Amino acid sequence: MATLAAGALAWLAVAPAMAGGWILAESEHFTLHSSAQESVTREYLQQLEAFRWLSMKLLGADEKSVRAQARFDIYLLEGERALHALRPDLPDNAAGLYTYCAEGAVAYATKASRLGPDGWDWGRLVLQHEYAHHLMFQYGTMAYPSWYVEGFAEYMGTAALENGTISLGGPHEARLPILATPPWLPFDEVLRWNSRQSGASSRFEVERFYAQAWLLTHYMLSDDKRAQQLAAYFSRAGDGDDPVKAFEAATGIAVADLQRLLEHYRRALPMVKVRSQEMPQPAIRTTKLDDDAAGYALDASLLRTCPKPAPGQAVLERLRLQAQKSASVDPTLTLVLARAETMFGDPAAAVRMLEGAVSADNAPAEAHYLLARALTRQAEKLAGDEQRAAQEQARSHLFKAYRLKKDDAPTLHHLARALAEKGIDQNVVNAARAARLLAPSVGDYAVFEARADLGVGDREHAIRALVPLATDSHQPERAARMRQAIDAIRGGKSAGEVASMMNPPP
């Protein structure tokens, strides 16, 4: 607790700023703010596009779906020190961060100031791990157990593109030393990790769990027959079968034999190499950021991490000063400042700024979205006809934002909430479901969709919305609540009873 408090104070004192030389690089599926040289930035994006292409192949995902077109936003920082200046509350060994909340999702990676023993870039490994989670929950068709959720992300995290070949399944230098030192966790505990009591796992157990989950995933995916057996196992476990019995029935492998099998397997640890000629060559556009834009880019990103009031107020004050110093009107800074005013300052000021922005020719979708958010905040303090008028105006701008950009998860989520003010119907469900599919790890989106699904009697989709949260080993308390809610949905409990289980305790 003391660490978090100190971190909040540090946010107030330190203004995160990008020095000169920052680049905005864009490919079809990624937006990257980078402090690296342009050639390094391009190579980084090529690696990520190759990683995404391979991940989509493994997941059997549809490249033509709307969710496939949404870009993933990344900030590439100058080493771990820059990351900790941005987020002082992170652990000392953090090399990257993926954060998601109702404001959206953003990832921070660090340029390799140090490489692993075999040349691994730890920052990119962390980023690929988290992006693998993102893709799995977007395109997964089954309820995956926690060991496979984390094991798959660890397995994919080491993928690397070199000389036209993508290597997959390389040795994970953070996990192999753990496996070389006994004792291992019993594999029945690994398979049942979902149902462990929240908060009961020590750091030692968590590290063992990740290492063993990675190795078990590596083993299962290294053989076509075993990989096919996983689908039957996921189906059995997802239907409520005991995880150990489901694994043994689907694979024919006795769980008691897994440690012996895997200890032998890790000595060989076969790697897969995939020629990437089929992979489309990504078109990459780069723009050098001027000093003004670089000065507020990180603050703009922080607003999308749902900061608490104190650091949020600090961001707002810095943006106000930036706007005062600007010699001319910067349309992008106007949008960023309006977002900050809506979240932490004066929504009326945001409305005034944004009414001018939306009247301009080719006003961006974000301007309409933010105006809707500011109007909604204003409506909270109104009543009667004035409140209804503000709400109707907000809905109108959300529809305009959606028509301009159909793959924006926050727009879809807030559109669903705005429509729900008149009652839950299929339009509400469709918007809520689209938001959740675009950003499946965001708890607010998943919970709202589940409530909307239950409102129209669709219990199956309500369960699907909650499954990624129920298998999230990073937030065990929330995961336990979501498993309880899923059991309640299956047990025929009312929407109100389920909602009380999904909500965090006061």
Side-chain angles (χ1 to χ4, degrees):
M1 192 62 134
T3 303
L4 292 175
L9 291 174
W11 276 28
L12 291 171
V14 178
M18 293 173 165
W22 276 78
I23 296 170
L24 173 63
E26 299 170 286
S27 62
E28 184 177 0
H29 303 106
F30 298 93
T31 298
L32 177 65
H33 286 82
S34 169
S35 62
Q37 295 177 348
E38 183 171 345
S39 60
V40 175
T41 300
R42 285 179 172 277
E43 187 273 337
Y44 202 91
L45 271 186
Q46 287 169 350
Q47 287 271 356
L48 290 175
E49 285 285 359
F51 176 82
R52 184 186 184 280
W53 173 80
L54 180 59
S55 300
M56 296 286 278
K57 290 289 186 185
L58 290 175
L59 291 167
D62 178 11
E63 284 280 2
K64 296 181 181 179
S65 68
V66 172
R67 53 187 149 154
Q69 310 313 315
R71 281 195 183 140
F72 193 77
D73 292 334
I74 307 163
Y75 289 75
L76 184 59
L77 305 177
E78 190 73 42
E80 288 94 337
R81 187 172 296 179
L83 180 63
H84 284 89
L86 184 72
R87 287 291 299 267
D89 53 312
L90 292 174
D92 291 341
N93 62 348
L97 172 68
Y98 174 42
T99 179
Y100 41 83
C101 65
E103 295 297 324
V106 61
Y108 299 96
T110 55
K111 280 191 339 187
S113 58
R114 60 187 175 91
L115 294 177
D118 283 345
W120 289 113
D121 179 340
W122 292 111
R124 192 165 65 209
L125 187 148
V126 171
L127 178 61
Q128 291 182 172
H129 173 110
E130 296 300 340
Y131 190 57
H133 280 323
H134 178 79
L135 291 176
M136 171 182 270
F137 291 140
Q138 271 194 320
Y139 294 101
T141 57
M142 297 186 173
Y144 301 112
S146 286
W147 73 263
Y148 188 73
V149 169
E150 296 302 335
F152 181 80
E154 291 283 273
Y155 178 74
M156 294 300 299
T158 61
L161 173 67
E162 187 175 4
N163 298 324
T165 299
I166 307 172
S167 61
L168 184 62
H172 197 308
E173 300 300 335
R175 302 305 174 199
L176 282 172
I178 296 171
L179 295 168
T181 308
W184 287 22
L185 294 176
F187 269 97
D188 59 340
E189 291 187 25
V190 173
L191 294 176
R192 292 191 175 111
W193 195 264
N194 279 19
S195 57
R196 291 168 64 95
Q197 291 297 314
S198 59
S201 303
S202 68
R203 176 65 181 270
F204 170 85
E205 289 176 314
V206 170
E207 293 295 331
R208 295 277 163 178
F209 167 73
Y210 271 77
Q212 290 177 229
W214 164 70
L215 187 59
L216 179 55
T217 301
H218 202 300
Y219 176 72
M220 296 303 295
L221 294 181
S222 67
D223 177 85
D224 288 344
K225 181 180 178 182
R226 289 195 295 265
Q228 292 170 6
Q229 291 168 341
L230 279 174
Y233 158 64
F234 295 148
S235 179
R236 287 172 178 266
D239 288 341
D241 286 4
D242 175 78
V244 172
K245 293 179 180 177
F247 184 87
E248 291 179 333
T251 67
I253 302 171
V255 170
D257 294 337
L258 271 178
Q259 180 168 341
R260 177 182 56 79
L261 286 172
L262 293 180
E263 282 182 328
H264 176 75
Y265 177 78
R266 74 182 172 91
R267 297 186 184 98
L269 207 66
M271 184 187 297
V272 177
K273 290 187 179 290
V274 181
R275 297 293 296 174
S276 60
Q277 292 98 331
E278 298 178 27
M279 185 186 75
Q281 289 302 307
I284 297 173
R285 300 171 299 282
T286 60
T287 307
K288 289 186 178 180
L289 297 180
D290 60 34
D291 289 344
D292 286 342
Y296 62 77
L298 282 178
D299 272 332
S301 77
L302 287 174
L303 291 173
R304 293 168 54 206
T305 68
C306 298
K308 293 183 179 179
Q313 288 283 346
V315 170
L316 172 60
E317 292 305 321
R318 292 197 293 269
L319 290 169
R320 284 173 172 171
L321 287 173
Q322 180 83 24
Q324 290 171 9
K325 290 189 299 181
S326 298
S328 59
V329 176
D330 179 342
T332 304
L333 177 57
T334 297
L335 297 180
V336 174
L337 178 57
R339 183 190 291 270
E341 291 285 5
T342 299
M343 295 174 67
F344 300 105
D346 182 3
V351 170
R352 290 192 294 272
M353 285 186 277
L354 292 164
E355 283 178 337
V358 299
S359 66
D361 292 337
N362 299 319
E366 187 179 9
H368 289 284
Y369 164 74
L370 291 173
L371 179 53
R373 294 285 306 283
L375 287 165
T376 301
R377 283 290 309 279
Q378 276 193 315
E380 293 170 0
K381 297 181 180 180
L382 302 175
D385 290 342
E386 287 186 327
Q387 184 181 67
R388 285 188 287 273
Q391 290 172 335
E392 189 58 42
Q393 192 178 359
R395 278 191 289 270
S396 173
H397 284 286
L398 284 169
F399 274 115
K400 290 177 181 177
Y402 169 71
R403 284 193 288 270
L404 289 168
K405 188 177 182 182
K406 290 182 167 59
D407 61 356
D408 186 64
T411 296
L412 286 158
H413 172 69
H414 286 282
L415 178 58
R417 296 184 72 92
L419 293 174
E421 292 167 1
K422 295 184 176 182
I424 303 294
D425 60 16
Q426 197 59 45
N427 289 327
V428 173
V429 171
N430 291 343
R433 190 171 297 162
R436 193 263 304 171
L437 286 170
L438 285 164
S441 299
V442 177
D444 286 357
Y445 299 174
V447 168
F448 185 80
E449 189 215 318
R451 295 183 69 169
D453 286 329
L454 292 173
V456 296
D458 190 342
R459 291 179 173 262
E460 180 182 346
H461 274 96
I463 291 172
R464 287 187 197 176
L466 299 180
V467 162
L469 309 185
T471 58
D472 184 358
S473 60
H474 299 288
Q475 299 190 54
E477 289 83 5
R478 186 183 72 174
R481 291 199 314 275
M482 297 306 153
R483 290 195 295 273
Q484 184 184 20
I486 288 172
D487 289 342
I489 294 170
R490 286 176 172 149
K493 299 290 186 182
S494 69
E497 290 174 296
V498 174
S500 67
M501 296 174 186
M502 291 189 291
N503 293 329

